[in-house]
Amino acid sequence: GSPVHTIDGPCGPIVAWKYWLPKDDYGSANSMVKAQGIVRASPEEIFEMIFDSSRTKEYNKYSVGRTDVETKGPKTKIVWNRTNPPGTKRPHDFCTLMHGRVYPKNGTNLLMTTATDHAKAKTSSEFLRSEILLGVNQMRVIGPGRTELTTISHVKTCGVHPFLSEKFAASSAVDFIKRVDEVLGGTEEAEAAGELAVAAGASSGSEASGQKEARKLSFCSPPLRSSRVHRSWS
């Protein structure tokens, strides 16, 4: 199917698709959302920012804070996350397991999250306990200082009518990628890396081929592989 939400980013479109589970499956009232776009930063920079609980407010405007409650390994931990999304009487909280992996052969970083329980993050009357049934952030390098960021999120909300949560689901996924790019890609270092890559491409061949490479690197990305994605996401 076609994307359900698209915005223009500095490096091309940021696109979102929706997928619905069978009616009787757990969490089927809420859609699973996939979003994809290009970020002007390395996979490592993106991973480090998302994994760092002290930085959640930089890219999530609804965040009330995130606390590490137990560290399981260098890239594995349990966190207690609090958010205050629109349309709810009380803030929401989540107890979530985060696990990251790095693939040295191609530089891809992967961060996965799922709901769990922990004695240091018990439910309370102060918050509505919602669940991140599945969260995936895949960061794939496509050039110097350029990363294709793909996210998949399936959140079971509590105390919010599905109609209201679905109203914001796709736009929130797209805005997340846009905000990550604004935080990391708007720095002087990120822009300098892109300019150096353009200059290197332009000087390595003829003027015509150099201009072609400059456009490719400056605008960041090969086209999204929509023919493969659209078969499963609508």
Side-chain angles (χ1 to χ4, degrees):
S2 302
V4 296
H5 192 72
T6 304
I7 63 172
D8 292 327
C11 298
I14 305 174
V15 186
W17 299 263
K18 281 187 178 183
Y19 173 77
W20 294 90
L21 296 178
K23 184 177 180 180
D24 295 330
D25 284 9
Y26 188 74
S28 61
N30 299 103
S31 66
M32 189 180 297
V33 180
K34 178 175 181 175
Q36 190 175 73
I38 307 302
V39 174
R40 296 166 293 171
S42 69
E44 294 79 13
E45 290 173 314
I46 301 170
F47 182 97
E48 288 173 4
M49 183 176 74
I50 299 174
F51 195 70
D52 186 347
S53 293
S54 69
R55 302 187 66 183
T56 55
K57 293 181 181 181
E58 293 183 43
Y59 55 85
N60 184 351
K61 62 183 178 181
Y62 301 122
S63 176
V64 185
R66 194 178 80 195
T67 305
D68 296 348
V69 297
E70 184 177 351
T71 299
K72 298 286 189 178
K75 296 183 183 296
T76 306
K77 62 183 179 180
I78 296 174
V79 300
W80 179 45
N81 194 25
R82 287 90 65 200
T83 64
N84 194 15
T88 61
K89 296 181 179 180
R90 284 181 288 165
H92 290 237
D93 72 339
F94 306 80
C95 184
T96 308
L97 173 66
M98 305 181 71
H99 175 67
R101 289 193 64 183
V102 177
Y103 296 87
K105 287 186 178 181
N106 59 14
T108 296
N109 281 236
L110 186 67
L111 180 60
M112 299 165 285
T113 57
T114 190
T116 189
D117 296 313
H118 197 281
K120 294 182 180 179
K122 294 181 178 180
T123 58
S124 73
S125 58
E126 185 179 355
F127 298 95
L128 295 169
R129 174 60 56 94
S130 294
E131 299 174 81
I132 299 176
L133 302 180
L134 175 67
V136 177
N137 293 279
Q138 178 184 270
M139 296 139 271
R140 185 179 70 88
V141 63
I142 60 170
R146 299 293 185 263
T147 298
E148 179 190 74
L149 175 57
T150 302
T151 70
I152 298 174
S153 58
H154 186 202
V155 180
K156 184 178 183 295
T157 56
C158 176
V160 181
H161 193 280
F163 174 81
L164 182 59
S165 61
E166 287 304 316
K167 184 177 179 180
F168 297 100
S171 61
S172 294
V174 164
D175 289 344
F176 166 74
I177 296 178
K178 180 183 178 182
R179 184 56 185 158
V180 169
D181 177 76
E182 289 173 347
V183 173
L184 296 176
T187 64
E188 293 182 1
E189 292 81 359
E191 292 300 325
E195 291 172 4
L196 287 173
V198 171
S203 63
S204 63
S206 65
E207 182 178 3
S209 64
Q211 290 175 348
K212 182 178 180 180
E213 184 69 13
R215 287 195 299 270
K216 176 183 176 183
L217 290 170
S218 178
F219 294 101
C220 307
S221 101
L224 299 180
R225 297 175 300 284
S226 57
S227 60
R228 183 182 68 184
V229 172
H230 289 177
R231 286 198 292 269
S232 300
W233 298 87
S234 60

